[in-house]
Amino acid sequence: MSIENILFNDITLGMNYQREHLVRSSDFALFTMLAGSHDCEGVAAAPAIGVFLFVTSACINSFPGHGAILKEQALHAHGDVRQGDVLTIALTVTHKCVQHNEVILAATCHNQHGELLVSGNVTVTAPTEKCISHYEEVPQFTLRSPQVFAKLRQQTDLLPAVVTAVVHPCDRESLLGAMAAATAKLIVPILVGPEAKIRALAQQENVDLGNTRIVDTAHSHDSAALAVALCRSGEAAALMKGSLHTDEMMSAVTCSKTGLRTGRRLSHVFVMDVPAYARPLLVTDAAINIAPDLAAKVDITQNAINLAHILGIACPKVALLSAVETVYEKMPSTLDAALLCKMADRGQITGAQLDGPLAFDNAISMTAAKMKKIVSPVAGQADILVVPDIESGNMLAKQMSYFAGADSAGIVLGARVPIVLTSRADDIQTRLASAAVMVLVANAMK
C-alpha cells in the first residue's frame, strides 16, 4: 500500500478525511492509564481523552501526512470509550494561513453508535515537499475493522444456542465463563460436577443459576466421564472444559470404548485476531499433539482447513512452519512440510493452498518473503500456521497474545463434538470467543 501526503498548496477549504480505528485491549489499557488508572481490570469504560492521540496521529501520518508538524490542538472529550468500540475519526479543513503554511482542521470522533466522543480543532503546518510512503503490508501499528470475533458473533446471532456439557466448573473463571456464554445465548449449559460445590461457588460469586441443569458428580474424573456420556447419548452437542486438568478430560474423550473419537486424530486450533495482521490467523496444533508425526500432521492440517471453511475462508493459505524455508534432511519439520505439500498436490489434503517449509517471518510478512526471494501464493499472507510441535505452537500463540495484543479462541476438532479447551488464564472475553467458534462448528456438524 502507498500513502501520499498532501501539500499545502493542494489543500482546499472543505477537504476532508475519515478513518476507522478499532479499540483493542492494548488501546484500552492506554486509555485507562491516561485517565489515571494503572489497572484496567474490571474497568468497563475510559474517558475519551485517550482518543486525542489517534486524532493527532491521523493528521501527522495521513492528512496532510508526512512532513506535517503539529502546532496546536484544542480537543474536547464528550464521553467514554469501551474495548471493542469502532471509532470513526473525521478531519475537515476549515482555515488556511498562507504566511505560515498552517491549516486548521475541524476534528470529530464518533463511536459505532454515532455518539460524539471528541470534537475540536487541530492546527498543523502542512508539508511543502511531496512524499509517498510505500508499505509492502499494513504497518504494525494499524488496527483493522471490523473485529474478527465481532464478525463471528454476528454469525452466531443467526444460529441456535448449543447444548454444552461444561466439565467440572468448580472455579470462578470456568463457572462465570459458562454462564456468560449462556447469557450471550451461545450455549445452553449442563453443569457437570459436584452440585454442592457448584451452588456454593455460584452463591459466593452472586451468579444466578436459574433453571440450569446440574449433573452431580463425585470428582473431576467422574465429571469428565459423565460429560462425555452426555455427548455420546446426544443430550449435549459440545464439551467445554472447566477447572479440571486437560489430560483428565481428554482421557475420557479419547477412551476407545466410551469416548468421542472418530476416524480422524483430534487436534487443537487457536483462532487469533492479531492487531498487526490483516486477516484472521489459525495456529495449530498448540495444545493436544506433543510431537506429531506425518500422519498426525495430515489430520491436524485438514482439521484446521475445515475450520477455516466454517469461518468463511473459502480457500485458506496454509503455511507449514519450520526454522528455515528450504528442505534440510537434518530438520524433520522441513521434510514433513515438503511431503504435506506433495500430498496436497495428490488430493490427500484438500480445500486449501499449502506451502512449506516456511519460516515464521516468510509466512506472515510480504516484506520478508520478498527480501528472501520467495515466490509463493502462501508466503506473507498465510491464513493457517501449522507448527512443528506443541512447544513451538504454544509459545507462538502465547507470544502473539501477550506481546502483540492478539485476541484468541481455542477449539478441539476431530471428535464427535467440538470441544472448548480453555486455559485457567483465559478471561471471559476469550471464553466467549471460544464458545462462538464452537457454536459455528457444532452447527456445521449437524
Side-chain angles (χ1 to χ4, degrees):
M1 63 177 294
S2 300
I3 299 178
E4 182 176 356
N5 66 354
I6 305 172
L7 303 185
F8 177 82
N9 291 335
D10 297 329
I11 295 173
T12 60
L13 297 180
M15 185 180 287
N16 58 70
Y17 167 85
Q18 183 173 299
R19 63 162 290 194
E20 288 188 343
H21 186 97
L22 173 67
V23 179
R24 302 181 67 88
S25 56
S26 56
D27 299 318
F28 190 71
L30 175 62
F31 294 161
T32 57
M33 185 180 70
L34 291 173
S37 173
H38 293 276
D39 184 5
C40 63
E41 186 72 27
V43 177
I49 186 173
V51 180
F52 293 1
L53 296 173
F54 296 113
V55 174
T56 55
S57 174
C59 299
I60 301 302
N61 294 301
S62 301
F63 187 77
H66 185 84
I69 300 173
L70 179 65
K71 300 292 290 185
E72 181 182 347
Q73 63 94 350
L75 299 173
H76 306 280
H78 302 287
D80 293 332
V81 182
R82 291 169 171 78
Q83 186 172 325
D85 279 352
V86 178
L87 308 179
T88 300
I89 298 166
L91 303 170
T92 303
V93 179
T94 59
H95 294 87
K96 288 183 67 176
C97 176
V98 177
Q99 183 178 1
H100 299 101
N101 288 342
E102 288 183 355
V103 177
I104 299 178
L105 305 168
T108 61
C109 177
H110 294 78
N111 63 17
Q112 70 274 21
H113 305 298
E115 299 167 344
L116 181 65
L117 301 180
V118 172
S119 67
N121 294 319
V122 178
T123 303
V124 298
T125 299
T128 56
E129 295 183 3
K130 204 65 178 174
C131 176
I132 301 177
S133 302
H134 298 282
Y135 300 96
E136 291 290 340
E137 52 198 311
V138 178
Q140 293 284 313
F141 54 82
T142 299
L143 301 181
R144 66 191 182 280
S145 177
Q147 191 179 14
V148 170
F149 294 121
K151 290 183 68 175
L152 295 185
R153 287 295 301 275
Q154 290 174 2
Q155 293 177 255
T156 61
D157 287 343
L158 304 175
L159 298 172
V162 175
V163 179
T164 302
V166 185
V167 188
H168 211 70
C170 295
D171 66 358
R172 179 180 185 274
E173 289 73 21
S174 57
L175 181 60
L176 291 181
M179 298 313 295
T183 301
K185 298 181 180 179
L186 293 168
I187 71 171
V188 177
I190 302 175
L191 306 181
V192 185
E195 183 170 0
K197 191 171 184 178
I198 292 172
R199 292 196 180 279
L201 178 61
Q203 184 176 8
Q204 175 186 320
E205 299 296 335
N206 197 27
V207 174
D208 182 9
L209 296 179
N211 295 322
T212 302
R213 179 183 174 188
I214 300 177
V215 176
D216 189 27
T217 67
H219 44 68
S220 56
H221 287 284
D222 194 23
S223 299
L226 287 178
V228 167
L230 289 171
C231 292
R232 285 180 64 91
S233 68
E235 292 181 73
L239 279 179
M240 179 180 288
K241 177 178 172 288
S243 57
L244 76 172
H245 289 291
T246 297
D247 58 352
E248 289 182 85
M249 188 179 79
M250 295 310 297
S251 292
V253 169
T254 58
C255 179
S256 58
K257 292 184 178 180
T258 59
L260 299 171
R261 296 184 73 100
T262 64
R264 178 170 293 168
R265 181 180 292 266
L266 274 66
S267 63
H268 180 275
V269 182
F270 274 117
V271 181
M272 311 206 75
D273 186 2
V274 187
Y277 201 59
R279 63 185 69 209
L281 189 62
L282 279 60
V283 178
T284 189
D285 179 343
I288 297 293
N289 293 282
I290 296 173
D293 58 15
L294 179 64
K297 287 181 180 179
V298 171
D299 285 347
I300 289 169
T301 303
Q302 192 66 63
N303 284 343
I305 293 169
N306 294 346
L307 176 59
H309 292 166
I310 292 170
L311 299 181
I313 306 171
C315 186
K317 302 179 192 310
V318 181
L320 305 160
L321 296 187
S322 186
V324 296
E325 59 276 354
T326 54
V327 177
Y328 182 43
E329 62 182 18
K330 294 184 178 180
M331 296 182 68
S333 61
T334 68
L335 300 175
D336 286 349
L339 289 169
L340 289 168
C341 290
K342 180 51 67 176
M343 294 174 78
D345 291 342
R346 299 291 172 86
Q348 293 172 271
I349 300 172
T350 60
Q353 290 180 297
L354 274 67
D355 197 12
L358 288 172
F360 176 76
D361 56 345
N362 306 324
I364 56 90
S365 170
M366 294 289 285
T367 302
K370 184 176 181 180
M371 291 177 66
K372 293 185 178 181
K373 296 181 172 56
I374 297 174
V375 179
S376 162
V378 174
Q381 49 190 337
D383 300 298
I384 299 172
L385 303 179
V386 178
V387 300
D389 53 43
I390 194 172
E391 292 169 322
S392 59
N394 192 272
M395 286 185 278
L396 173 60
K398 288 181 178 177
Q399 283 168 354
M400 286 196 285
S401 293
Y402 286 93
F403 284 170
D407 292 332
S408 66
I411 192 82
V412 174
L413 305 170
R416 293 189 187 183
V417 299
I419 302 169
V420 176
L421 192 63
T422 54
S423 165
R424 286 170 293 176
D426 288 344
D427 59 17
I428 296 297
Q429 292 305 314
T430 299
R431 293 170 188 269
L432 287 175
S434 298
V437 174
M438 177 271 290
V439 169
L440 295 174
V441 174
N443 279 276
M445 292 175 67
K446 288 182 178 179

